[in-house]
Coordinates of all heavy atoms in Angstrom, one line a residue:
V300 N 119.6 112.7 90.9 CA 118.7 113.8 91.2 C 117.4 113.2 91.7 O 116.8 113.6 92.7 CB 118.4 114.7 89.9 CG1 117.3 115.7 90.2 CG2 119.7 115.4 89.5
N301 N 116.8 112.3 90.9 CA 115.6 111.7 91.3 C 115.7 111.0 92.6 O 114.8 111.0 93.4 CB 115.1 110.7 90.2 CG 114.7 111.4 88.9 OD1 114.3 112.5 89.0 ND2 114.8 110.7 87.8
K302 N 116.8 110.3 92.8 CA 116.9 109.6 94.1 C 117.1 110.5 95.3 O 116.5 110.3 96.3 CB 118.2 108.7 94.0 CG 118.3 107.7 95.1 CD 119.4 106.7 94.9 CE 119.5 105.7 96.1 NZ 120.7 104.8 95.9
S303 N 117.9 111.6 95.1 CA 118.1 112.5 96.2 C 116.8 113.3 96.5 O 116.6 113.7 97.6 CB 119.2 113.5 95.9 OG 118.9 114.2 94.7
S304 N 116.1 113.6 95.5 CA 114.8 114.4 95.7 C 113.7 113.5 96.1 O 112.7 114.0 96.6 CB 114.4 115.1 94.4 OG 114.2 114.2 93.4
G305 N 113.9 112.2 96.0 CA 112.8 111.3 96.5 C 111.7 111.2 95.6 O 110.6 110.7 96.0
L306 N 111.8 111.6 94.3 CA 110.7 111.6 93.4 C 110.4 110.3 92.8 O 109.3 109.9 92.4 CB 110.9 112.7 92.3 CG 111.0 114.1 92.7 CD1 111.2 115.0 91.5 CD2 109.9 114.5 93.6
S307 N 111.6 109.5 92.7 CA 111.4 108.2 92.0 C 110.7 107.2 92.8 O 110.1 106.3 92.2 CB 112.8 107.7 91.6 OG 113.6 107.5 92.8
N308 N 110.8 107.3 94.1 CA 110.2 106.3 95.0 C 109.0 106.8 95.7 O 108.6 106.3 96.8 CB 111.2 105.7 96.0 CG 112.4 105.1 95.2 OD1 112.2 104.3 94.3 ND2 113.6 105.3 95.7
E309 N 108.4 107.8 95.2 CA 107.2 108.4 95.9 C 106.0 107.5 95.8 O 105.7 107.0 94.7 CB 106.9 109.8 95.3 CG 107.8 110.9 95.8 CD 107.2 112.2 95.3 OE1 106.6 112.3 94.3 OE2 107.4 113.2 96.1
N310 N 105.4 107.3 96.9 CA 104.1 106.6 96.9 C 103.0 107.6 96.7 O 103.2 108.8 96.8 CB 103.9 105.8 98.2 CG 103.9 106.7 99.4 OD1 103.4 107.8 99.4 ND2 104.6 106.3 100.5
P311 N 101.7 107.2 96.4 CA 100.6 108.1 96.2 C 100.4 109.1 97.3 O 100.1 110.3 97.0 CB 99.4 107.2 96.0 CG 100.0 105.9 95.5 CD 101.3 105.8 96.2
Q312 N 100.6 108.7 98.5 CA 100.4 109.6 99.7 C 101.4 110.8 99.6 O 101.1 111.9 99.9 CB 100.5 108.9 101.0 CG 100.1 109.7 102.2 CD 100.0 108.9 103.5 OE1 100.3 107.7 103.5 NE2 99.7 109.6 104.5
Q313 N 102.7 110.4 99.3 CA 103.7 111.4 99.2 C 103.5 112.4 98.1 O 103.7 113.6 98.2 CB 105.1 110.8 99.1 CG 105.6 110.1 100.3 CD 106.8 109.3 100.1 OE1 107.0 108.7 99.0 NE2 107.7 109.3 101.1
K314 N 103.0 111.8 96.9 CA 102.7 112.7 95.8 C 101.6 113.7 96.1 O 101.6 114.9 95.7 CB 102.3 111.8 94.6 CG 103.5 111.1 93.9 CD 103.0 110.3 92.7 CE 104.2 109.6 92.1 NZ 103.8 108.8 90.9
L315 N 100.6 113.2 96.8 CA 99.5 114.0 97.2 C 99.9 115.1 98.2 O 99.5 116.3 98.0 CB 98.4 113.2 97.9 CG 97.2 114.0 98.5 CD1 96.4 114.7 97.3 CD2 96.2 113.1 99.2
K316 N 100.8 114.8 99.1 CA 101.4 115.8 100.0 C 102.2 116.9 99.3 O 102.0 118.1 99.6 CB 102.3 115.1 101.1 CG 102.7 116.1 102.1 CD 103.6 115.3 103.2 CE 104.0 116.3 104.3 NZ 104.8 117.5 103.8
R317 N 103.0 116.4 98.3 CA 103.8 117.4 97.5 C 102.9 118.3 96.7 O 103.1 119.5 96.6 CB 104.8 116.6 96.7 CG 105.8 117.5 95.9 CD 106.9 116.6 95.4 NE 106.5 115.5 94.7 CZ 106.2 115.6 93.3 NH1 106.3 116.7 92.7 NH2 105.8 114.5 92.7
K318 N 101.8 117.7 96.1 CA 100.9 118.5 95.3 C 100.1 119.5 96.2 O 99.9 120.7 95.8 CB 100.0 117.6 94.6 CG 99.2 118.2 93.4 CD 98.5 117.2 92.6 CE 97.8 117.9 91.4 NZ 97.0 116.9 90.6
T319 N 99.8 119.1 97.4 CA 99.1 119.9 98.4 C 100.0 121.1 98.8 O 99.5 122.2 98.9 CB 98.6 119.1 99.6 OG1 97.8 118.1 99.2 CG2 97.9 120.0 100.6
D320 N 101.2 120.8 99.0 CA 102.2 121.9 99.4 C 102.3 122.9 98.3 O 102.3 124.1 98.6 CB 103.6 121.2 99.7 CG 103.7 120.5 101.0 OD1 102.9 120.9 101.9 OD2 104.4 119.6 101.2
R321 N 102.4 122.5 97.1 CA 102.5 123.4 96.0 C 101.2 124.3 95.9 O 101.3 125.5 95.6 CB 102.7 122.7 94.6 CG 104.1 122.2 94.4 CD 104.4 121.9 93.0 NE 103.5 121.1 92.3 CZ 103.6 119.7 92.2 NH1 104.7 119.1 92.7 NH2 102.7 119.0 91.6
S322 N 100.0 123.7 96.0 CA 98.8 124.4 96.0 C 98.7 125.4 97.1 O 98.3 126.6 96.9 CB 97.6 123.5 96.1 OG 97.5 122.6 94.9
L323 N 99.1 125.0 98.3 CA 99.1 125.9 99.5 C 100.0 127.1 99.3 O 99.7 128.2 99.7 CB 99.4 125.1 100.7 CG 98.3 124.2 101.2 CD1 98.9 123.3 102.3 CD2 97.1 124.9 101.8
L324 N 101.2 126.8 98.7 CA 102.1 127.9 98.4 C 101.6 128.9 97.5 O 101.7 130.1 97.7 CB 103.4 127.3 97.9 CG 104.6 128.3 97.6 CD1 105.0 129.0 98.9 CD2 105.8 127.6 97.0
R325 N 100.9 128.5 96.4 CA 100.3 129.3 95.4 C 99.2 130.2 96.1 O 99.1 131.4 95.8 CB 99.8 128.5 94.2 CG 99.2 129.3 93.1 CD 99.1 128.5 91.8 NE 98.2 127.3 92.1 CZ 98.7 126.1 92.1 NH1 100.0 125.8 91.8 NH2 97.9 125.1 92.3
M326 N 98.4 129.5 96.8 CA 97.2 130.2 97.5 C 97.8 131.3 98.5 O 97.3 132.4 98.6 CB 96.4 129.2 98.3 CG 95.6 128.2 97.4 SD 95.3 126.6 98.2 CE 94.4 127.1 99.7
L327 N 98.9 130.9 99.1 CA 99.5 131.9 100.1 C 100.0 133.1 99.4 O 99.8 134.2 99.9 CB 100.6 131.1 100.9 CG 101.4 131.9 101.9 CD1 100.5 132.4 103.0 CD2 102.5 131.1 102.5
F328 N 100.8 132.9 98.3 CA 101.4 134.1 97.6 C 100.3 135.1 97.2 O 100.4 136.3 97.3 CB 102.2 133.6 96.5 CG 103.6 133.1 96.9 CD1 104.3 132.3 96.1 CD2 104.2 133.5 98.1 CE1 105.6 131.9 96.4 CE2 105.4 133.1 98.4 CZ 106.1 132.3 97.6
V329 N 99.3 134.5 96.6 CA 98.2 135.4 96.1 C 97.5 136.1 97.3 O 97.2 137.3 97.2 CB 97.1 134.6 95.3 CG1 96.0 135.5 94.8 CG2 97.8 134.0 94.0
Q330 N 97.3 135.4 98.4 CA 96.6 136.0 99.5 C 97.5 137.1 100.1 O 96.9 138.1 100.5 CB 96.3 134.9 100.6 CG 95.5 135.4 101.7 CD 95.0 134.3 102.6 OE1 95.3 133.2 102.4 NE2 94.2 134.7 103.6

């Protein structure tokens, strides 16, 4: 699961991008 989802080998930039995507999705739904 971790390997297929790419979570185990995420670098800091990828983690920031994933976190940004989640924040944008939450902002979008409320808006």
Side-chain angles (χ1 to χ4, degrees):
V300 173
N301 291 334
K302 190 174 179 181
S303 63
S304 61
L306 299 181
S307 59
N308 299 318
E309 279 187 330
N310 58 42
Q312 187 175 0
Q313 289 173 323
K314 287 182 179 179
L315 176 62
K316 185 180 184 302
R317 188 162 53 86
K318 198 171 182 180
T319 302
D320 285 333
R321 286 202 303 268
S322 295
L323 288 169
L324 183 61
R325 185 166 55 248
M326 290 153 58
L327 179 63
F328 279 159
V329 176
Q330 187 170 2

